[in-house]
Amino acid sequence: MYRYDEFDHAFVKSRVEQFRDQVNRRLSGELTEDAFKPLRLMNGVYLQLHAYMLRIAIPYGTLNARQMRMLAHVARTYDRGYGHFTTRQNLQFNWPKLSDTPDILAELATVEMHALQTSGNCIRNVTADHFAGAAADEVADPRPYAEILRQWSSVHPEFSYLPRKFKIAVTGAERDRAAIQVHDIGLHLKKNDKGELGFAVYVGGGQGRTPLVAKKIRDFLPEEDLLTYTTAIVRVYNLFGRRDNKFKARIKILVHEIGVEEMTRRVEEEFSHLKGTELTLPQADIDAITRYFAPPSLPERPEGWAQIAGWKKQDAGFARWVDQNVEPHKHPDYGMVTISLKPIGGIPGDASHEQMDAIADIAEEYAFDEIRISHEQNVILPHVALADLEPVYRALVAQGLATANAGLITDIIACPGLDYCALANARSIPVAQEISTRFGSPDRQAEIGELKIKISGCINACGHHHVGHIGLLGVEKKGAELYQITLGGSGDENTSIGEIIGRGFEPAKVTDAVETIVDTYLGLRLSKEETFLEAYRRVGPQPFKDALYGSTAEAA
């Protein structure tokens, strides 16, 4: 992973001290809340429903044991003993005192972490495939390019006050695990016919009030032009994006209003002025950053194949966990382990300080000191020898971290909702807990197969409900919480926005509605191999509407 140089250390330290002064002036009354708000947001501090919230950046979802232990320390010392991992591959602390935030940031800086640009109308944390550097279907590791973008975008003088927040995601694999087509800019690392590396470039994706799938505006961009072309896109957005209405201020609205052809024309025109300038990436610089992300030296461990077969025969729980939470690695003797933060009946994405410390210990002993955070709110150990899976599993069991449900119906994405967020209209956490409990049986989950449920407590879609196979949106109607259901969404290489299925459901009825949808799917699938999403795309919404509402008229 990337290591700070002298400039990075000095830069982050100076920003911490600058923010310390701003906090002191706010606490003394010298700064009003209105004056303080843009300053705190640029340093990751939100004012939530009950307290301040601090959002820590985990660039492209990569961290090590030392950093994870620091997050555990902050949770223990300054918060209520836990943290919440988010769909932006970040970590949120929900209960810090404002007066403590400069000290928290100073301690984080000692392990090369920060909270810069985790909020505000700027370029946010650049995200990447959580299996980057380990996945068998990868063309190249996308993280060096994400790091280049991070360095370029940090406190960028031209792009610090954009019309709205701006999000970039990068993937380097055939399977899109970074949801690049629902980002302001999505970059797909690929090779052309000559074997040269470059990017397919997507622009104008996003969820929220107006969900839209990004449009491809370049099929192949040479890697040396990454910063020039990205600058061209953001500059066009900064110049022409709407600032009169925050609900229409994202780049997706600009692309939608002027059309993809005109957007492409404007970007290409701006790019023509920038191409060949100082923003062109020298190969030496690309190589230097890439060296930081060199994979660990993985010794041959062929004994794991026989050992794992024996362990699976002896322990059905271990067998389920391996089958569901361990993915093939590009090295045949290793696997990529998903540590589920979705215990049955638990709060999606939460981890206690004890669990974070345990994950750090496991990563150091068995996973070459590498940890990833996925946008699906789980933790990944990207390099684990098959021969070490049994002791890893035992260590996870001891911490309640061995739930074997990655990609299944209980692996639910959920935002904090009305339990924490001042913007929310409805709760997300209790709904996720109830659905998880209802479908908690391992046998039932296995029978259902791959099914992604995603829950948002408001239209801002922090729970990514638009791209859930089943999406739940909490709304407020006549002072009561109601949950609108969408079906058929997907955030992979075949991205689609879910269709609203009909009128919403009260909190007490929403889990029953989900069960009706699942039972309908089980009754109409052609075989056990046909997933929920495949079945939905084959038959469309009508069978589900009929099952839920009894008639099309009632569903309207």
Side-chain angles (χ1 to χ4, degrees):
M1 62 185 294
Y2 179 73
R3 298 292 187 188
Y4 282 14
D5 60 17
E6 290 182 8
F7 172 84
D8 297 312
H9 282 291
F11 170 64
V12 173
K13 183 179 179 180
S14 68
R15 285 298 300 253
V16 170
E17 293 312 308
Q18 181 188 65
F19 187 57
R20 187 184 299 278
D21 176 66
Q22 293 164 350
V23 169
N24 289 337
R25 286 190 288 141
R26 173 68 189 110
L27 293 172
S28 71
E30 184 181 345
L31 282 177
T32 65
E33 175 55 32
D34 285 345
F36 181 58
K37 181 178 179 180
L39 304 176
R40 63 171 168 79
L41 288 178
M42 292 295 280
N43 289 278
V45 179
Y46 282 75
L47 184 56
Q48 293 270 74
L49 198 59
H50 308 293
Y52 284 100
M53 178 267 281
L54 178 61
R55 180 181 291 156
I56 310 303
I58 303 175
Y60 33 88
T62 295
L63 69 166
N64 58 27
R66 187 171 62 122
Q67 292 170 324
M68 183 65 89
R69 287 197 186 96
M70 177 57 72
L71 295 177
H73 164 73
V74 171
R76 221 172 10 249
T77 308
Y78 298 103
D79 207 275
R80 296 186 177 180
Y82 69 95
H84 176 73
F85 290 96
T86 78
T87 54
R88 193 103 217 113
Q89 299 178 315
N90 291 322
L91 180 81
Q92 294 180 179
F93 292 114
N94 289 309
W95 301 100
K97 295 177 182 177
L98 179 61
S99 57
D100 286 337
T101 54
D103 290 336
I104 296 172
L105 294 175
E107 294 205 50
L108 287 166
T110 66
V111 295
E112 303 181 0
M113 299 188 80
H114 62 81
L116 296 174
Q117 297 185 193
T118 54
S119 183
N121 294 337
C122 56
I123 297 171
R124 300 286 187 90
N125 192 37
V126 179
T127 57
D129 181 358
H130 47 270
F131 291 152
D137 64 340
E138 185 176 77
V139 171
D141 190 336
R143 293 175 302 154
Y145 304 95
E147 172 59 27
I148 289 168
L149 289 166
R150 185 195 70 80
Q151 293 189 19
W152 161 80
S153 63
S154 293
V155 199
H156 193 299
E158 185 178 351
F159 303 142
S160 291
Y161 296 95
L162 295 168
R164 277 290 271 132
K165 58 187 175 181
F166 201 90
K167 299 177 180 180
I168 303 174
V170 193
T171 187
E174 292 179 13
R175 181 79 187 269
D176 180 10
R177 291 174 287 265
I180 65 170
Q181 293 182 57
V182 284
H183 280 75
D184 298 293
I185 295 177
L187 298 168
H188 181 197
L189 187 61
K190 59 191 291 188
K191 288 184 177 179
N192 64 10
D193 295 339
K194 299 178 182 178
E196 299 165 328
L197 280 173
F199 303 89
V201 183
Y202 295 82
V203 173
Q207 299 186 64
R209 192 172 299 271
T210 310
L212 292 168
V213 177
K215 308 295 185 184
K216 186 192 290 188
I217 64 170
R218 264 269 182 153
D219 187 62
F220 187 83
L221 177 76
E223 58 178 343
E224 67 179 21
D225 293 325
L226 174 63
L227 293 187
T228 47
Y229 204 77
T230 305
T231 297
I233 294 169
V234 185
R235 184 170 287 178
V236 168
Y237 169 55
N238 203 24
L239 287 170
F240 300 106
R242 293 181 61 173
R243 296 177 187 266
D244 61 319
N245 184 336
K246 70 177 183 178
F247 301 124
K248 297 183 180 296
R250 298 290 294 271
I251 193 173
K252 62 186 178 183
I253 301 299
L254 176 63
V255 175
H256 179 71
E257 289 185 344
I258 68 175
V260 65
E261 293 82 7
E262 176 61 14
M263 182 69 186
T264 303
R265 187 195 67 77
R266 293 184 187 185
V267 170
E268 291 289 340
E269 182 180 7
E270 186 64 35
F271 175 58
S272 69
H273 299 303
L274 294 169
K275 187 173 175 59
T277 64
E278 68 278 358
L279 284 172
T280 302
L281 281 172
Q283 189 60 48
D285 287 0
I286 297 172
D287 293 342
I289 295 291
T290 300
R291 281 194 290 272
Y292 284 104
F293 297 92
S297 177
L298 302 178
E300 302 293 322
R301 299 286 301 277
E303 72 276 13
W305 287 91
Q307 290 174 334
I308 197 172
W311 292 327
K312 289 174 77 170
K313 286 181 181 179
Q314 296 170 18
D315 187 336
F318 174 77
R320 276 195 302 269
W321 178 78
V322 169
D323 290 345
Q324 201 60 48
N325 287 40
V326 181
E327 293 288 329
H329 192 282
K330 61 176 61 176
H331 190 301
D333 296 343
Y334 290 77
M336 305 180 293
V337 172
T338 295
I339 301 174
S340 172
L341 297 184
K342 320 290 178 57
I344 303 305
I347 300 174
D350 277 12
S352 69
H353 66 94
E354 296 96 342
Q355 289 174 326
M356 287 189 270
D357 276 334
I359 290 169
D361 291 343
I362 295 167
E364 270 189 338
E365 185 169 0
Y366 298 109
F368 301 88
D369 197 20
E370 282 202 41
I371 302 167
R372 309 282 172 78
I373 308 302
S374 75
H375 83 272
E376 295 182 324
Q377 298 178 289
N378 291 318
V379 178
I380 312 297
L381 301 177
H383 314 288
V384 179
L386 301 182
D388 291 330
L389 286 178
E390 202 274 343
V392 167
Y393 174 72
R394 297 296 165 207
L396 293 174
V397 167
Q399 292 294 331
L401 290 169
T403 309
N405 64 347
L408 298 178
I409 190 169
T410 61
D411 185 12
I412 299 169
I413 288 180
C415 71
L418 197 55
D419 287 303
Y420 295 96
C421 183
L423 301 176
N425 299 311
R427 293 168 296 169
S428 300
I429 292 171
V431 175
Q433 290 174 303
E434 186 175 333
I435 293 171
S436 173
T437 301
R438 177 78 63 91
F439 292 94
S441 162
D443 290 340
R444 192 175 190 195
Q445 292 188 72
E447 171 67 15
I448 295 166
E450 182 184 11
L451 205 170
K452 298 180 183 293
I453 295 180
K454 306 184 181 185
I455 307 172
S456 300
C458 80
I459 196 63
N460 289 311
C462 294
H464 292 192
H465 69 276
H466 291 297
V467 292
H469 301 167
I470 299 176
L472 301 176
L473 168 63
V475 298
E476 183 272 328
K477 188 173 183 180
K478 298 180 180 178
E481 294 172 82
L482 207 64
Y483 294 87
Q484 184 183 84
I485 296 179
T486 57
L487 298 180
S490 178
D492 58 15
E493 61 278 9
N494 298 307
T495 296
S496 58
I497 302 299
E499 301 175 72
I500 298 173
I501 206 72
R503 57 179 168 77
F505 291 86
E506 295 84 358
K509 297 180 180 180
V510 68
T511 302
D512 290 338
V514 170
E515 189 161 33
T516 297
I517 292 166
V518 171
D519 288 343
T520 302
Y521 152 64
L522 293 175
L524 60 79
R525 68 183 179 183
L526 297 176
S527 69
K528 192 172 181 179
E529 284 66 46
E530 185 177 43
T531 66
F532 176 88
L533 186 60
E534 289 168 342
Y536 181 82
R537 287 175 172 171
R538 175 174 56 83
V539 304
Q542 198 58 51
F544 300 94
K545 289 184 179 182
D546 292 344
L548 285 170
Y549 304 107
S551 75
T552 305
E554 284 188 57

